[in-house]
Every structure is written in structure tokens, then in C-alpha cells.
Amino acid sequence: MMSVPFSGLAKGLAVTLRTMTRKTVTEQYPDVQPDLPPRTRGVIGLFEENCTVCMLCARECPDWCIYIDSHKETVPAAAPGGRERSRNVLDRFAIDFSLCMYCGICIEVCPFDALFWSPEFEYAETDIRELTHERDKLREWMWTVPAPPALDPHAEEPKEIAAARKTADKLAAAEQARAADEAQAAEQAEQNPDQEGEQ
């Protein structure tokens, strides 16, 4: 079977012409922000209030790109006769994103939920030395972290919420019992004013 000369070129041009007549689907990035999935690994946000400076994230990081500095502070006793306690205070928390490989180990090992993935991705710099972002920038990114997805309606309630609800129910029951006792004592005092006067 003989091949027709330039048939390959004709097929290629036909594909090009077909593509040229279709509407483009390219999003013009600076003007149109991409619709990213909720679990996108962009940057790491820091919720500073939850950080206890346990250093687990820095120790487990395979790239050693997390830098943490802290100092100890003495907290006075909460009750008279109690003892003073010391606690770590965070001075510096920085992540070098030129070294980070976005593995997420730091987020997984954090026992106090201080680190979160943010879908933010616009943090390019002209100098690689400026890719080490300090805790102020990491805190800004914390507010871009999306809310967690809703639980399955048939899922078991999280243990933290169940424990908090149980404690709240106990406190409410104790408060109701105390109010009932006070009401009963007031009612008895109204019924027996003479006994109080005799005493």
C-alpha cells in the first residue's frame, strides 16, 4: 500500500485547525485565581497560641528547615501556698521554604494542633534568602487555612467534643442542684420565720 506524500503533515495541520477554532479553557492566572482543592499543600500556617515549644516538629523535620527559639518564664502560683511553675515562651518560629519539601511530617507530629496546611501559594521571592518566613508571616497564613470538612452524619462524635460535652453536662447538673438547694432553703426560711427569730 502506497503512502500519500505529506499525509502526516495534513493530519497535523487538521489537528491544529480544529484546536484553533475551539474556545480556550486556559484561566488567566493573575486575573482569575485558581480553584484549589481544600487539602492543597501550599504553605504551613502557625497557630501560635497552641505552640508549647515542644520542638517535635523541628526534630522530626527531615530537612531541618524549622528554626525555633524560646526561653523559660516563671509563672506565679495559682493558689496561695502553691508552687511556681515554669513554662516555655516562643521567641522565634521560622520555616525555610527553600529547603522544605512539603512532606507534612511537622503537621502530623504536632500534638497540640499548632501547624496547619494553607492553600496559599503566592510567596515567591527574588532572593532565596528571603524564603525563610518568620512567625508573623506564618500567623498571617493561618487565617487562609480552610475550615475542616463536615463530619459524616453517621460518624462517631470526636472524643474531644464528647469529653467537653460530658464536663459541661456535669457542671450544668451541679449548678441546677445548687440552685434547687438554695430555692428550697429560701422556701423553708419563709415558712418558718419564727424559728429563725427564736434562734
Side-chain angles (χ1 to χ4, degrees), residues 48-143:
E48 197 175 321
E49 286 79 5
N50 285 1
C51 183
T52 61
V53 198
C54 65
M55 306 289 276
L56 268 174
C57 54
R59 279 194 302 240
E60 295 296 325
C61 178
D63 292 332
W64 289 79
C65 65
I66 299 175
Y67 310 110
I68 300 174
D69 291 330
S70 67
H71 69 276
K72 289 214 180 276
E73 193 175 84
T74 304
V75 179
R83 65 183 178 95
E84 293 180 338
R85 298 186 180 272
S86 66
R87 68 181 180 102
N88 290 325
V89 178
L90 187 66
D91 292 329
R92 180 184 187 217
F93 194 107
I95 299 177
D96 187 351
F97 284 99
S98 66
L99 296 175
C100 180
M101 63 182 186
Y102 305 91
C103 63
I105 292 174
C106 57
I107 294 168
E108 289 173 22
V109 300
C110 180
F112 302 105
D113 289 335
L115 298 172
F116 295 88
W117 279 119
S118 164
E120 187 68 38
F121 62 92
E122 297 172 319
Y123 60 98
E125 301 288 348
T126 54
D127 188 349
I128 195 169
R129 290 171 292 189
E130 292 174 8
L131 279 171
T132 301
H133 293 292
E134 299 291 334
R135 68 180 180 177
D136 296 334
K137 188 68 175 172
L138 300 178
R139 186 174 180 81
E140 280 178 37
W141 284 331
M142 183 61 213
W143 308 123

